[in-house]
Amino acid sequence: MDRELRVIISGGGTGGHIFPAISIANAIKSEHPEAKILFVGALGRMEMQRVPAAGYEIVGLPIQGFDRKNLLRNIKVLYKIWKSQQMAKKIIRDFRPMVAVGVGGYASGPMLNQCAAMGVPCLIQEQNSYAGVTNKILAKKAAKICVAYDGMERFFPEDKIILTGNPVRQSLLETTISKTEAQKSFGLKSATKTILIVGGSLGARTINESVLGHLDDIAKSGVQVLWQTGKYYSAEIAERLQKAGKPENLVVSDFITDMGAAYRAADLVISRAGASSISEFCLLGTPVILVPSPNVAEDHQTKNAMALVKRDAAIYVSDAEAPERVIALAIETVKDDARLNTLSENILTLGLPNSAKVIADAVVELATKG
């Protein structure tokens, strides 16, 4: 490339937006070490910590979502949108990007709108099977749209779509630890069926209550359970376990740092249905029971889950039914080797490897066309 590659990557708000964004940046750097990459996020959101920790510079916009419950507060929101657009113009003039990437989240709206208005080619990456509002709006101005699911032409112009899958944390794919070593690292027994329960980095109340309501069933199950409670709930859960009595076959952690080892240790996972998590399960061939969060826009986690369930690649339990059903179902399923094998084989067929590189190549192609 004759010119120094300069890329803006904008968006965030959740790990599901941030992990793919960082993976795309890493893939661009791998092919073009000289590239200058600037992240643009929303002030006060988790990208403002996670992106610098990954080694990249980030600028924050004062953007936030509309308050549907208190409409008067939206006067302030409208001002923040206007201010973010003005800041976006200055960022573009100062940084002089050759291409912009939007990964969803509040910041990607004003940033990519201004990039498109100022002649910077734009690529958006939609992680979910149901497109987010910001990306649906931006699609008209984007040159390319990278998606993780079939059938996304119902949201986006078909001629712009590239089926790439979602980038996942590379460390998960590079885990070399054996199943026995992984189980030992968490204080679990080897050669014993293992259920991993996760609700995201902050935890999930419904999933946690499902465990707490069935401690006796876990104790009598003959299997072992590794449970990530989330830091938000850890103190309360520790207190409740002390009163109720923690089963010996239940290992509790507020946050699991090495998820590659955790997945390797497990025969079955209970999880929310975020796009990044699902992409990880697809690439690893992980049998999973999905309990979608009801507290997300457009109920997109349920749509993510059903895209797998219709191919017999995952098991679905609704959030409302989980406290009653999910633990008993998990114990029954983890003992059924034929069912586990079917789930693993089917979910593996949905994995799209090298997503980050495919997206990075599309980004570079857009940049060099200018």
Side-chain angles (χ1 to χ4, degrees), residues 7 10 52 66 72 79 83 91 101 119 121 130 140 170 185 202 257 261 279 282 290 302 313 325 345 350 366 369:
V7 183
S10 185
F66 283 102
L72 287 175
Y79 170 73
K83 187 174 180 182
I91 290 167
V101 180
Y130 193 93
K140 297 169 187 174
Q170 197 62 29
S185 72
L202 296 178
T257 304
S279 294
C282 290
L290 296 170
T302 296
R325 286 190 59 216
E345 288 171 4
L350 303 178
L366 271 184
K369 277 183 178 178

Side-chain angles (χ1 to χ4, degrees), residues 207-223:
I207 292 176
N208 288 341
E209 292 296 335
S210 301
V211 179
L212 290 166
H214 293 270
L215 294 174
D216 287 344
D217 294 330
I218 291 170
K220 298 170 187 173
S221 66
V223 307

